[in-house]
Amino acid sequence: MDKFGILKKYFGYDTFRNAQENLIDHILEGKDTVGIMPTGAGKSLCYQIPALLMNGITLVISPLISLMKDQVGSLNQAGIHAAFLNSSLTVNQYYKALNFARQGRYPIIYVAPERLVTEEFLDFAINSKISMVAVDEAHCVSQWGQDFRPSYLKIVEFIKKLPKRPVVSAFTATATKEVRDDIIDILQLENPMVMTTGFDRSNLYFGVVAGKDRYGAIKNYLETHQKDSGIIYCLTRKQVEEICGRLIKDGFLVTRYHAGLSDEERRKNQDDFIYDRVPLIVCTSAFGMGIDKSNVRFVLHYGMPKNIESYYQEAGRAGRDGEPAECILYYSSKDVITNQLLIDNNQDNQDFDAATRLIIKERDQERLRKMTFYCFTNECLRDYILKYFGEYGSNYCGNCSNCFTQFEKTDVTEIAKALVGCVESSRQRYGTTVIIDTVHGANTAKIKSYRMDGNPYYGTLRQMPVYRIRQVLNHLRLNGYLFVTEDDYGIVKLTEQSGHVMKEDSQIIMKLAKESSKQGKKGQDKGKTSKKDSFQEGTFTEKEESLFEKLRALRLEIAREEKVPPYIVFSDKTLTHMCLVKPKTKEEMMTVSGVGQFKFEKYGDRFLACISSFSLGNG
Ligand code: ADP
Ligand code: MG
Ligand code: ZN
């Protein structure tokens, strides 16, 4: 069988995605290979398929027990013998697995890095034919990344002890150059072929919702997305407790996750979520590494994360199956202060000297600024993210809250001049609120005590709504015409560019939402994710919606029998496709994306029966 045969037979797919085929071919030619692809792109297949075609055993190095369990579960469900060796096994189970491995029962073995150079494991490896070492989540070798794992450094030591050097492949979703160079250097890859695919995740909808009642907005969203699986990220443990508590009170089935909980509770809550026993999880950024759950339909952020890297990683946990999914950030200006405090009190860098700490802090502040601008920008959100990672998008994606909003170009020169003029004439001593209140002509004690009511710009924008003045101020910051200090005072300062604004013939144009549609299309109003989006051949009728629910229930039943997460039985994408095809025969069922031979033999008849009884019931 060739790679296409394996793709169809075991995984049930007809075609490879972007870079998969290329990466697989290189590995099969015996060359070291690095695959840098975003979450959900399908990195696993890139080493699993060659593993089945090569003569010998492939060892997959993975940082987390939960990841290994998930992947081995998936492979076994697809009819491929695979095992994992890590500390979750008892001594007995470990020796048993190792014995089967010696007998050549497993073409693919997942190993925790710290096991590699233990005596028993080495003994097995040296006496077996190891054809490939595949390093998953390879950024864990790099101290530059966020997930550095010292045990990953043992991989090279291990490879050197083998009688014959296997092919080494490495995979990650982290795109920075430092990390990529580290992977190549530290793993000592030999003339590797490095393939990077674009970072765009076109099935993800991005939205920003600003407003006071964030809880209400999220609740609304959840009410229109019942039964779908989703994650709600919060900035702090306290917020997790609060939001989770309120949601429970409001009748939602929800669990929680943060580093302050006991190991046992964390494990249980995580499993409840993964196994679809509870559709929602409220958590801090501690949740997620090692979650391969493919049917997460939305990721909401109650609060803005500290940088775009974190945001994209967390949001990216939505829609791994390639089906439409939504990522919405609920922003409040308080988030900036919370994040600033987190940066100021960051204890992670104690080992560095003062000068280095300062550099790190400045870097963190710069990243926070870019994150904040994401919440203000009126440009395409996807484009903003891709640009941040050094890629160029199309300026208009048609699938983000900004692209959905109708904007019109508005001349805001007058407002800009008043703001810059006010900052200048008050000698750059005040924060944003004082500046805005001044130009708006507020009659507060503070304004009087600062004597800002005597400022030449006092009240010049009395007719303008405050939110508009604030928008323009943010626009001026975003474009470097003004600058706000990062300390507790948040003082508005001039920049080298401020002078441009004050020139007589200057013109400041800004894209602003059209007033009429302003309420219309921000984030949560976009409506329910339509399952039809990814398959053009048909539309999802109401009947099909209810067939989908039937199939989803059957999937849950089977998952319980098999003790695996439902998405490992069939992905949401596969169920969606099934609803559209409505197969009546084995041949028809086998055309559904994600139905391989082994899975068909195991469950095909039950799904066929479900569809046929549904069709009968519906004439
Ligand atoms: P990554 O490790 O890159 O985040 P995974 O390997 O976990 O992604 O794959 C994500 C999802 O994409 C899985 O559900 C997988 O079955 C699916 N997938 C991978 N390759 C293909 C393909 N060629 N066609 C359809 N689905 C695929
Ligand atoms: Mg992966
Ligand atoms: Zn867009």
Side-chain angles (χ1 to χ4, degrees):
M1 210 183 320
D2 64 0
K3 61 188 180 208
F4 294 106
I6 290 184
L7 183 70
K8 183 71 187 158
K9 178 172 177 201
Y10 293 105
F11 299 97
Y13 301 135
D14 292 322
T15 48
F16 285 106
R17 289 182 181 157
N18 295 353
Q20 284 177 328
E21 196 177 347
N22 241 321
L23 286 160
I24 291 171
D25 289 343
H26 270 263
I27 294 175
L28 289 174
E29 282 167 27
K31 293 180 191 150
D32 286 359
T33 305
V34 182
I36 302 178
M37 298 150 89
T39 310
K43 293 185 281 293
S44 326
L45 285 193
C46 299
Y47 54 82
Q48 288 166 347
I49 289 183
L52 297 176
L53 289 167
M54 286 156 106
N55 185 359
I57 298 169
T58 287
L59 299 176
V60 183
I61 320 297
S62 178
L64 290 174
I65 290 173
S66 59
L67 277 179
M68 294 191 215
K69 203 171 133 194
D70 208 83
Q71 300 238 349
V72 169
S74 270
L75 288 170
N76 288 334
Q77 283 294 319
I80 298 165
H81 291 288
F84 55 76
L85 299 174
N86 61 38
S87 59
S88 74
L89 301 180
T90 62
V91 176
N92 265 340
Q93 289 172 324
Y94 184 75
Y95 281 105
K96 204 166 147 197
L98 209 52
N99 261 335
F100 281 143
R102 279 182 216 276
Q103 293 161 19
R105 167 141 2 167
Y106 308 119
I108 305 180
I109 300 173
Y110 283 72
V111 201
E114 49 279 350
R115 292 271 152 174
L116 290 171
V117 288
T118 58
E119 209 174 304
E120 309 86 54
F121 188 79
L122 267 177
D123 180 63
F124 148 73
I126 288 170
N127 293 299
S128 307
K129 183 171 164 37
I130 308 295
S131 47
M132 168 161 65
V133 171
V135 184
D136 203 4
E137 311 293 342
H139 59 279
C140 289
V141 297
S142 170
Q143 267 159 299
W144 287 98
Q146 304 183 356
D147 305 308
F148 173 56
R149 296 194 169 236
S151 57
Y152 260 59
L153 303 175
K154 298 203 163 112
I155 298 171
V156 186
E157 193 187 328
F158 166 76
I159 292 172
K160 287 197 173 140
K161 294 204 157 105
L162 294 177
K164 184 171 179 298
R165 186 178 183 281
V167 180
V168 182
S169 60
F171 298 87
T172 180
T174 307
T176 64
K177 187 176 179 312
E178 292 91 347
V179 172
R180 195 186 64 197
D181 290 348
D182 268 5
I183 290 173
I184 294 172
D185 291 346
I186 297 173
L187 293 176
Q188 300 184 14
L189 301 183
E190 295 176 358
N191 295 322
M193 199 259 317
V194 182
M195 273 209 79
T196 309
T197 61
F199 267 68
D200 185 22
R201 304 268 316 275
S202 59
N203 62 317
L204 299 185
Y205 164 86
F206 288 97
V208 173
V209 176
K212 286 210 175 71
D213 182 17
R214 288 196 274 189
Y215 179 78
I218 285 183
K219 196 177 138 209
N220 262 340
Y221 184 92
L222 298 179
E223 269 158 7
T224 53
H225 292 79
Q226 291 195 17
K227 289 195 191 151
D228 282 347
S229 190
I231 305 176
I232 302 167
Y233 276 104
C234 296
L235 281 185
T236 62
R237 295 176 193 182
K238 211 174 116 206
Q239 268 177 0
V240 171
E241 298 291 335
E242 186 201 320
I243 302 301
C244 185
R246 285 178 79 176
L247 287 173
I248 289 171
K249 231 188 229 153
D250 282 330
F252 290 96
L253 190 54
V254 51
T255 187
R256 60 183 183 170
Y257 190 103
H258 60 68
L261 302 173
S262 68
D263 284 356
E264 198 191 321
E265 182 178 350
R266 280 212 305 262
R267 203 172 313 123
K268 176 176 180 302
N269 295 354
Q270 175 171 325
D271 279 355
D272 281 348
F273 178 68
I274 289 177
Y275 286 80
D276 283 352
R277 293 189 284 258
V278 177
L280 296 173
I281 192 159
V282 184
C283 55
T284 59
S285 59
F287 179 76
M289 169 78 163
I291 306 296
D292 261 359
K293 184 173 164 61
S294 75
N295 61 335
V296 175
R297 295 271 65 88
F298 56 85
V299 173
L300 309 184
H301 275 75
Y302 184 97
M304 177 186 76
K306 61 180 192 281
N307 55 41
I308 300 270
E309 286 90 341
S310 308
Y311 181 64
Y312 204 50
Q313 189 175 51
E314 289 164 10
R317 298 200 166 107
R320 292 178 77 114
D321 51 13
E323 284 290 279
E326 304 193 336
C327 312
I328 302 174
L329 198 167
Y330 294 83
Y331 166 81
S332 148
S333 51
K334 279 183 250 160
D335 299 340
V336 181
I337 302 167
T338 313
N339 274 300
Q340 187 59 49
L341 282 173
L342 293 173
I343 292 177
D344 289 342
N345 301 327
N346 187 356
Q347 303 295 320
D348 293 349
N349 306 312
Q350 295 300 325
D351 297 344
F352 298 114
D353 58 53
T356 312
R357 279 209 300 271
L358 189 67
I359 295 175
I360 294 177
K361 190 169 163 181
E362 278 169 2
R363 192 192 63 190
D364 287 349
Q365 263 159 353
E366 180 56 26
R367 286 181 175 174
L368 175 58
R369 218 178 349 256
K370 297 252 171 70
M371 182 73 238
T372 313
F373 289 156
Y374 175 79
C375 303
F376 297 149
T377 182
N378 287 335
E379 304 291 326
C380 171
L381 293 174
R382 183 184 314 280
D383 214 48
Y384 186 92
I385 295 175
L386 292 177
K387 268 194 199 125
Y388 182 85
F389 291 116
E391 261 181 51
Y392 285 89
S394 57
N395 285 317
Y396 176 86
C397 74
N399 193 22
C400 75
S401 57
N402 286 349
C403 285
F404 272 110
T405 309
Q406 285 201 351
F407 287 106
E408 54 194 353
K409 290 196 170 156
T410 313
D411 187 324
V412 294
T413 316
E414 188 204 350
I415 306 178
K417 282 193 163 129
L419 286 167
V420 173
C422 183
V423 172
E424 198 173 19
S425 58
S426 57
R427 285 180 284 147
Q428 311 182 47
R429 284 180 300 169
Y430 300 110
T432 50
T433 312
V434 170
I435 298 296
I436 289 168
D437 281 353
T438 302
V439 294
H440 192 244
N443 191 16
T444 63
K446 204 170 185 181
I447 293 296
K448 284 192 198 128
S449 76
Y450 292 158
R451 302 231 181 88
M452 287 299 271
D453 48 354
N455 183 283
Y457 292 90
Y458 180 77
T460 50
L461 299 179
R462 198 169 264 130
Q463 312 302 332
M464 221 31 98
V466 171
Y467 75 84
R468 174 57 41 88
I469 302 176
R470 192 173 286 279
Q471 274 175 330
V472 176
L473 181 68
N474 283 330
H475 179 76
L476 294 175
R477 290 177 63 191
L478 192 64
N479 290 284
Y481 292 119
L482 286 175
F483 169 78
V484 176
T485 61
E486 300 285 340
D487 53 24
D488 294 348
Y489 307 107
I491 308 293
V492 190
K493 301 273 184 194
L494 299 176
T495 68
E496 278 172 18
Q497 291 190 66
S498 302
H500 290 301
V501 178
M502 299 311 278
K503 277 194 193 137
E504 202 159 327
D505 58 350
S506 77
Q507 206 189 19
I508 308 287
I509 302 288
M510 195 180 154
K511 273 161 97 186
L512 286 168
K514 271 196 181 148
E515 290 296 323
S516 55
S517 65
K518 207 178 122 284
Q519 304 299 330
K521 290 265 190 187
K522 268 272 180 185
Q524 82 264 41
D525 298 335
K526 212 195 112 218
K528 195 161 162 44
T529 311
S530 163
K531 299 207 174 57
K532 68 185 179 229
D533 290 2
S534 58
F535 291 100
Q536 290 151 350
E537 60 250 52
T539 45
F540 234 50
T541 61
E542 233 167 78
K543 271 187 193 168
E544 281 155 348
E545 286 279 353
S546 78
L547 175 57
F548 185 84
E549 292 309 325
K550 286 239 153 57
L551 296 177
R552 176 142 81 170
L554 174 59
R555 174 176 74 174
L556 189 64
E557 186 183 309
I558 293 175
R560 290 200 168 136
E561 292 162 19
E562 297 278 323
K563 299 196 172 56
V564 296
Y567 63 91
I568 284 183
V569 175
F570 281 132
S571 69
D572 277 9
K573 195 186 192 95
T574 300
L575 295 191
T576 305
H577 203 184
M578 236 181 246
C579 288
L580 293 171
V581 177
K582 296 189 201 61
K584 293 194 193 67
T585 61
K586 173 174 178 181
E587 285 65 40
E588 286 171 7
M589 182 61 103
M590 294 290 290
T591 65
V592 172
S593 168
V595 182
Q597 199 169 315
F598 193 78
K599 281 194 183 172
F600 179 81
E601 276 156 24
K602 256 178 122 169
Y603 325 119
D605 287 338
R606 289 171 76 177
F607 279 92
L608 281 174
C610 180
I611 295 166
S612 121
S613 78
F614 180 85
S615 305
L616 283 178
N618 282 276

